[in-house]
Amino acid sequence: MNASDPHVNAFAEIFGDPPADYAVPVDWAAVESWLGTSLPADYKAIAAAYGPLDIGAWLWLHMPCVNRGWFDYGAWVQQTRRDAPGVLPFGATRTADTLYWDTTASDDPDQWPVVMHCQDDENAGRDSWRRFASPLVPTLARLVADGMRPVAARSGMQTDLERTPWTPPPRRPEPTAQQRAALTTGSGLETLIALVPPPETPTLGKHNWDWLYERLGTRLPGEYVRLMERYGAGSWCGWLRFNIPFDEDQHALAPWAEWYAETYQGQRAEFPEYHPLAVYPEPGGFLPFADSIDGDQLCWLTEGATPDDWPLIVVPRHAAQGPPLNTDLTKTLLEWLRGRFATEGLPPLGRRDENPLDYIEFERYDAEPAADGQ
């Protein structure tokens, strides 16, 4: 895979010669082992010669590389393969389209045709797939013929590259018998623990429950306390995030609840039809304690004789306000992980043809570093 490679020559005739400092090492054997398939020879040759590319100021050609920025090749491949089974991603566009190979078309990767998922077409309710019926380099030549600029430059998305090959993420361990059983039967915290083992040391923060109760001006439901004492702060399936309860950082539980209450009250004053709820410490107001990556809030309605009587409610960011949930916290979380529960703000996690044990997880938050790096 060098400048004399025929695939590199074909690409260079359209987009120019490789840069002199292309050396981005790739362990293709490790990459292909992780993917479970060989990759097209033209892609490997071009990636090895050019590195990650911005083609025509419109299309990003991604490659496996170690990057300290926000792009993660492994996570991107895993997510896009889940979104579209039977295809394998290799690029994206500035208009939120994704480029894939159709791996079902041939047993020979060099014959895989390029397909593109067009986000604008999906948003408009049209067929969202464009099928090129040709491998990578002929497809790029066709895009140039259709008006894409015939220039290529190192992708700015993948700057600050390390000089070591990208390391595939570890494979998920096989589910245990206890996890398989907990996916379909059982209830309560012990079943949740069997389904998703908690961390050895939960992240709770530097204070304690009494500090939090005094800061909030109320005790909290015992179910939440028991859940946090086993799992602590962290992210469920990369979607639902439980804040650190015993800290004073702006994203910790109490500061976040105070900030969100003030924000919601301001929005309610301007758009009352979209913000119908009271906010704690208003009587019966909602008190947020977890949020989604999309800004939805999981809350209690602080109404009832004791905190253990508080119902749950989701305050969605992009939908009309719905009613309180009719399940408690542990059951809601357990059924959502099982794929049996969904509502605005807590959408389904996977497709019906997926096994939840292939993707459900809890990722513990690290505790804040001590002052002065000590």
Side-chain angles (χ1 to χ4, degrees), residues 10-363:
F11 186 87
E13 287 182 5
I14 306 171
F15 298 104
D17 293 334
D21 61 344
Y22 69 89
V24 179
V26 181
D27 184 344
W28 291 109
V31 173
E32 292 174 331
S33 175
W34 178 71
L35 292 171
T37 181
S38 298
L39 291 170
D42 57 355
Y43 167 76
K44 291 191 288 184
I46 293 165
Y50 287 83
L53 287 177
D54 184 344
I55 300 175
W58 176 71
L59 185 158
W60 288 299
L61 182 70
H62 296 321
M63 65 172 290
C65 55
V66 178
N67 170 240
R68 290 188 291 268
W70 59 270
F71 176 80
D72 182 278
Y73 175 80
W76 176 71
V77 168
Q78 288 175 322
Q79 182 58 55
T80 49
R81 291 182 92 174
R82 283 189 62 209
D83 292 340
V87 293
L88 184 63
F90 66 85
T93 75
R94 281 180 166 79
T95 50
D97 309 315
T98 305
L99 289 105
Y100 303 87
W101 295 290
D102 180 359
T103 62
T104 68
S106 174
D107 293 333
D108 180 2
D110 292 337
Q111 300 302 315
W112 288 344
V114 172
V115 294
M116 183 168 71
H117 178 266
C118 303
Q119 191 61 49
D120 286 346
D121 287 338
E122 179 176 286
N123 295 343
R126 300 186 294 266
D127 179 8
S128 58
W129 291 96
R130 183 177 179 186
R131 301 162 181 87
F132 291 93
S134 57
L136 176 60
V137 173
T139 298
L140 293 174
R142 174 178 169 182
L143 289 171
V144 169
D146 289 343
M148 185 174 73
R149 295 170 56 195
V151 294
R154 177 65 60 82
S155 172
M157 289 180 63
Q158 293 162 301
T159 56
D160 198 18
L161 299 179
E162 297 180 1
R163 295 296 181 180
T164 56
W166 174 76
T167 302
R171 295 189 182 278
R172 290 174 65 95
E174 284 295 315
T176 65
Q178 291 81 1
Q179 287 178 297
R180 296 183 190 278
L183 183 64
T184 57
T185 61
S187 61
L189 182 58
E190 292 309 310
T191 298
L192 179 62
I193 289 170
L195 179 63
V196 184
E200 291 185 9
T201 305
T203 299
L204 294 172
K206 59 188 177 183
H207 297 295
N208 55 35
W209 289 112
D210 288 338
W211 173 88
L212 179 62
Y213 297 158
E214 183 176 355
R215 173 73 183 260
L216 291 174
T218 180
R219 299 183 70 83
L220 297 177
E223 183 184 34
Y224 169 78
V225 173
R226 292 186 291 273
L227 178 72
M228 295 303 289
E229 287 181 342
R230 296 306 300 267
Y231 287 93
S235 172
W236 293 86
C237 301
W239 179 263
L240 184 61
R241 307 177 296 192
F242 280 71
N243 299 331
I244 297 177
F246 303 156
D247 253 336
E248 301 168 63
D249 175 81
Q250 62 178 333
H251 297 295
L253 174 59
W256 178 262
E258 293 161 359
W259 174 85
Y260 193 82
E262 182 178 348
T263 300
Y264 189 93
Q265 288 169 330
Q267 294 172 333
R268 186 179 63 192
E270 189 170 359
F271 305 105
E273 66 275 23
Y274 301 120
H275 302 83
L277 300 177
V279 186
Y280 181 82
E282 298 170 347
F286 72 83
L287 175 59
F289 61 91
D291 70 334
S292 79
I293 61 171
D294 206 24
D296 313 284
Q297 305 295 314
L298 182 59
C299 317
W300 298 289
L301 284 181
T302 56
E303 55 188 32
T306 71
D308 289 332
D309 299 316
W310 292 350
L312 289 176
I313 192 168
V314 177
V315 178
R317 184 182 179 191
H318 299 296
Q321 181 60 57
L325 307 183
N326 58 8
T327 57
D328 61 30
L329 175 59
T330 304
K331 183 175 181 180
T332 298
L333 184 56
L334 186 57
E335 293 301 285
W336 178 65
L337 294 170
R338 287 167 165 170
R340 300 175 183 171
F341 173 85
T343 189
E344 293 290 351
L346 282 177
L349 287 171
R351 303 184 311 272
R352 291 186 177 183
D353 62 334
E354 286 187 297
N355 184 343
L357 292 176
D358 290 338
Y359 56 79
I360 58 176
E361 63 183 358
F362 176 78
E363 183 178 357

